[in-house]
Amino acid sequence: MRHAVLAAPLAILTVAGGCKAAPEPAAAKETAFCNGVPEMAIAGRVTDAADVLTAEEEARLSERLIRYEERTKHQMVVATTSSLHGARVDNFATCLGNRWHVGRKGHDDGLVILVAPQERRAAISTGPGMEKLFPDDEALDAVKNMTTYFKRADYAGGVSAGIEAVVTRTGDPQ
Amino acid sequence: MTMRSARWMIVPVAALSLSACGINSVPTKEEAAKAKWANVEAAYQRRADLIPNLVETAKGASKIEQSTLEGVIQARASATQVKLSTDDLNDPAKVQAFQQAQGAVSSSLGRLLVTVEQYPDLKSQARFADLMTQLEGTENRINVTVQDYNAAVQDYNTTIRTFPDIIGAKIVHGAQPMTPYKAITPNANQAPKVDFGQ
C-alpha cells in the first residue's frame, strides 16, 4: 500500500523527465589489474617506451601486426616499458590491453606482448576471446622462447619470435 | 486539499534538480557487478581445468603421497558441484558455500605445494614447473577478479542505499544488496611472483 502511494508521484516524475540518468564518472574505475601501472600513451601497434627497438624494427613489426589483423581480425600490440613499477608483468600487460582497448568489442580477442627489459620480464596477455585459441601454456612457451633472444639483447628478434608463435597458432602462418 | 497538492508540486521540482533516481543506475550497476562475477568464475574455472594436469604430472613423476593428491582431486570435484548463478549473489549463504568449496581447493593445493617441496626431482621437471607457473598466474587472476567484483558490489550496494537512487532501488527494482566475496587462498595477501623464465 505504501509502495502504491509512493509510486504515483514517481510516475509523475518519470513523465516529467525528472529522473535523468546520472552522468557516469568520466573515467570508469579501473580494474585491479592496473594497480601500480602508470599512464602510458599508445604509440601505434608497437609502443617502444623502453626504447630497445630501432625505428626500422618497429616498422617491420608493425607491418607484421597489420597483416595479422587483416587476415584474422585479431588485434595484437607490442609494448616495452622501462619499468614495471612493482606490478606483475602479466597484470601490467592485461592492464595495457584493457586501457588501450586492444581487440574487437564483443570478441575480446586482443593480444598484448609486453617486454620489461630492466626487470627482465615478458608476458603475452590474451583477451578472454583468445584464451581458447591461444591458451596460457602456449603463451608461456612463447615467452620462454622469446627470453632466449632477450638474453642476447636481441629485442626485435624476441618480439618477432613471440608474434610468430601467436600467429601460427591463431590462423596466420608464415 | 490545497496544502496536499502544493506538497506534490515540490516533488517534481526537486526531482528536476536531482541527477538520478536510480531507474537506470541501479540495474546498470547490478549488471556491472554480475559481469565482474563472470570473470571470477572464469578464473576459478581456469584453475579447475589446470588441476587434473597438475595431479597427473605429480603422480607420474614421483612417489608423492596419494592422500595429498586425492585431497586435491576431491576438493576440486566437490567445488565443481557448488554452482553459483548470478541471481544467487544476493544470497550470502550461497556465496559462502561457494567460497568454502573454492577455499577447500585452495588449501588442498597449498598442501600439495608444501609436499612438492620435498621432491626436488619433481620440482625441477620442466612440465611441472610450467604448470606451477600457470597455477600461480591463475591464483593471481582469481585475486584480481575478486577485487574487481568486490569494488563493483560496493558501488552497487552504496547506490541502492543512498539518495536519490534508493527511490528507484526500493520502488521500481526492489533491489537487494549483493554479497562481497572473500577469497580464501593461501598467502592471499602476499602477491605471488611469476617469473617468465630467465
Side-chain angles (χ1 to χ4, degrees):
Chain A
M1 198 47 218
R2 212 175 118 248
H3 280 196
V5 171
L6 282 168
L10 193 78
I12 298 163
L13 295 190
T14 319
V15 171
C19 288
K20 291 188 207 99
E24 281 300 306
K29 258 179 242 144
E30 283 209 309
T31 84
F33 283 112
C34 288
N35 288 348
V37 179
E39 282 300 317
M40 209 170 138
I42 185 166
R45 280 169 210 268
V46 179
T47 303
D48 183 24
D51 204 13
V52 288
L53 303 168
T54 66
E56 196 180 287
E57 287 163 345
E58 276 179 44
R60 189 164 47 78
L61 293 169
S62 293
E63 232 163 76
R64 181 68 184 99
L65 295 173
I66 290 167
R67 203 183 68 178
Y68 174 63
E69 189 179 343
E70 278 170 358
R71 288 196 181 169
T72 64
K73 303 271 182 277
H74 306 312
Q75 219 173 49
M76 175 162 36
V77 302
V78 170
T80 68
T81 179
S82 50
S83 169
L84 291 173
H85 298 270
R88 286 172 59 107
V89 68
D90 47 352
N91 288 356
F92 199 113
T94 305
C95 172
L96 292 183
N98 288 341
R99 275 189 193 163
W100 293 346
H101 304 288
V102 183
R104 285 172 298 165
K105 199 175 183 143
H107 288 82
D108 285 335
D109 62 344
L111 288 136
V112 179
I113 298 183
L114 176 71
V115 185
Q118 196 195 309
E119 284 95 345
R120 300 170 64 86
R121 293 285 183 280
I124 301 177
S125 174
T126 53
M130 284 306 276
E131 277 165 17
K132 289 253 155 60
L133 271 172
F134 194 68
D136 285 1
D137 52 342
E138 286 181 19
L140 189 62
D141 285 344
V143 168
K144 275 193 194 148
N145 183 31
M146 284 161 70
T147 52
T148 59
Y149 292 84
F150 296 156
K151 275 181 199 157
R152 306 194 294 263
D154 178 7
Y155 291 101
V159 170
S160 187
I163 293 173
E164 290 310 317
V166 175
V167 300
T168 49
R169 297 295 306 182
T170 57
D172 181 19
Q174 303 130 53
Chain B
M1 188 59 202
T2 44
M3 264 306 287
R4 221 181 132 73
S5 43
R7 217 189 298 160
W8 286 131
M9 283 303 291
I10 298 168
V11 182
V13 173
L16 280 171
S17 63
L18 297 173
S19 57
C21 302
I23 309 289
N24 290 326
S25 62
V26 170
T28 304
K29 287 182 177 177
E30 186 177 11
E31 287 312 313
K34 283 181 178 174
K36 298 286 186 198
W37 177 254
N39 294 341
V40 175
E41 271 191 325
Y44 275 123
Q45 185 56 48
R46 226 176 230 259
R47 182 172 76 170
D49 292 343
L50 212 52
I51 288 174
N53 282 335
L54 195 68
V55 169
E56 271 316 301
T57 313
K59 218 186 250 174
S62 59
K63 287 173 234 132
I64 203 160
E65 288 90 341
Q66 284 300 310
S67 61
T68 313
L69 292 175
E70 266 154 29
V72 178
I73 295 168
Q74 267 170 20
R76 177 192 181 269
S78 36
T80 45
Q81 297 298 313
V82 183
K83 298 258 189 278
L84 190 69
S85 83
T86 48
D87 294 327
D88 296 335
L89 293 170
N90 298 323
D91 186 341
K94 284 188 179 159
V95 174
Q96 205 185 0
F98 186 89
Q99 243 161 244
Q100 266 166 3
Q102 294 298 344
V105 178
S106 300
S107 51
S108 74
L109 279 172
R111 273 194 295 280
L112 176 62
L113 300 196
V114 172
T115 313
V116 163
E117 288 297 316
Q118 297 154 19
Y119 296 85
D121 54 325
L122 177 58
K123 251 178 76 182
S124 60
Q125 248 190 46
R127 174 82 187 126
F128 192 75
D130 271 9
L131 287 167
M132 292 311 295
T133 310
Q134 283 188 62
L135 180 66
E136 216 179 298
T138 309
E139 296 285 0
N140 168 56
R141 211 167 255 259
I142 291 170
N143 285 339
V144 170
T145 52
V146 164
Q147 279 179 53
D148 283 347
Y149 166 72
N150 283 344
V153 164
Q154 198 189 9
D155 187 32
Y156 167 78
N157 285 350
T158 310
T159 302
I160 65 165
R161 282 171 182 151
T162 47
F163 192 79
D165 303 74
I166 191 169
I167 305 168
K170 281 241 160 106
I171 301 164
V172 182
H173 302 298
Q176 294 295 314
M178 291 171 93
T179 317
Y181 189 83
K182 288 194 193 81
I184 313 156
T185 46
N187 312 321
N189 48 1
Q190 197 185 318
K193 243 206 267 167
V194 69
D195 185 346
F196 280 105
Q198 283 212 356

